[in-house]
Amino acid sequence: MNVVNRAVKRIFDFIASLIGVIIISPILIVVAICIKLDSKGNILFLQKRVGKNGEPFYIYKFRTMVTDAEKLGAQITVGKDSRITKVGAVLRKYKIDELPQLFNVLKGDMSLVGPRPEVPKYVELYTEEERKVLEVRPGITDLASLRYRDENDILAKVENPEEYYINVIMKDKLKLNLEYIEKSNIIFDIYLIIKTIIKCI
């Protein structure tokens, strides 16, 4: 991606995410209240992820699991994970838990479209070729997000979910991420955003 495309993408990201936050602010407030009433703990869940150029940052999500869920199990979620709250199950189904990432986009940590950021543990397993995905800002949605929208259900059907994720799903995701980087332009981004919204309705 050349300098002009990067600049256009960043301007688009900032304006679109700002408009998005303004439009959905009533939804954000309602969701926050529901989370607070449903279970004890913070409204937001912050998790360290690896961003552009390997720089760590904290991704924002609405909390969908019990407090300290990562201490009670793996970093990946499988099927009907017992750690998921009642409200959290609904938020996950419609990807509403991802909405706070619009603030990550405003900050410049993320883009609306780009390779989904991974936790440091899994990034350490990337090959030199796969690490090329770290040359761009990670995104809220991408080709891999659309293909693996039902990732939790897929993992629930295998004997060793984490092993399958690392050796099969993550590898395929990285191939799709590298494919996205090759095709990346503002029109393709808008197409993926629209397709993501349609999938979530």
Side-chain angles (χ1 to χ4, degrees):
M1 187 186 297
N2 60 42
V3 175
V4 174
N5 283 341
R6 284 200 298 269
V8 170
K9 182 178 176 69
R10 179 58 191 148
I11 292 169
F12 172 77
D13 281 341
F14 185 84
I15 294 174
S17 58
L18 181 60
I19 292 172
V21 167
I22 293 171
I23 292 174
I24 68 171
S25 55
I27 297 175
L28 299 178
I29 293 170
V30 171
V31 171
I33 293 172
C34 290
I35 292 172
K36 207 64 182 174
L37 292 175
D38 181 50
S39 61
K40 295 179 180 179
N42 296 325
I43 293 169
L44 292 179
F45 168 66
L46 276 62
Q47 186 182 51
K48 183 181 285 188
R49 299 288 179 98
V50 179
K52 185 179 178 181
N53 298 323
E55 291 294 322
F57 73 98
Y58 283 93
I59 195 171
Y60 305 144
K61 290 188 177 188
F62 278 125
R63 181 175 59 81
T64 60
M65 306 179 91
V66 296
T67 302
D68 294 328
E70 287 189 306
K71 296 178 181 178
L72 303 174
Q75 287 188 307
I76 57 172
T77 311
V78 180
K80 296 181 180 179
D81 196 306
S82 60
R83 298 171 295 172
I84 299 174
T85 63
K86 291 179 181 178
V87 168
V90 176
L91 300 183
R92 282 171 172 264
K93 181 179 180 180
Y94 297 102
K95 303 299 180 182
I96 298 172
D97 60 316
E98 310 282 358
L99 292 179
Q101 286 160 47
L102 288 173
F103 292 101
N104 282 120
V105 177
L106 284 173
K107 285 177 59 183
D109 293 330
M110 295 177 66
S111 178
L112 290 173
V113 181
R116 285 294 293 167
E118 273 289 4
V119 295
K121 172 184 176 180
Y122 295 141
V123 173
E124 289 177 2
L125 303 176
Y126 287 5
T127 64
E128 185 176 347
E129 176 69 15
E130 291 167 346
R131 291 188 71 85
K132 288 181 180 178
V133 302
L134 302 178
E135 294 176 3
V136 299
R137 279 192 182 91
I140 294 177
T141 190
D142 63 352
L143 290 167
S145 298
L146 292 169
R147 176 175 292 183
Y148 291 101
R149 188 172 184 277
D150 300 318
E151 180 182 304
N152 292 355
D153 295 329
I154 295 173
L155 292 174
K157 298 174 182 177
V158 299
E159 186 175 343
N160 190 324
E162 185 167 37
E163 183 179 309
Y164 187 83
Y165 176 77
I166 292 171
N167 296 321
V168 180
I169 293 180
M170 189 174 80
K171 290 293 182 182
D172 191 42
K173 281 183 174 182
L174 287 166
K175 287 180 183 177
L176 290 170
N177 291 338
L178 291 171
E179 180 184 326
Y180 163 76
I181 292 173
E182 289 294 320
K183 295 180 178 180
S184 184
N185 61 65
I186 196 66
I187 302 302
F188 190 47
D189 279 7
I190 293 173
Y191 164 75
L192 290 177
I193 290 169
I194 293 172
K195 195 167 182 180
T196 299
I197 292 172
I198 292 172
K199 284 276 188 179
C200 292
I201 295 175

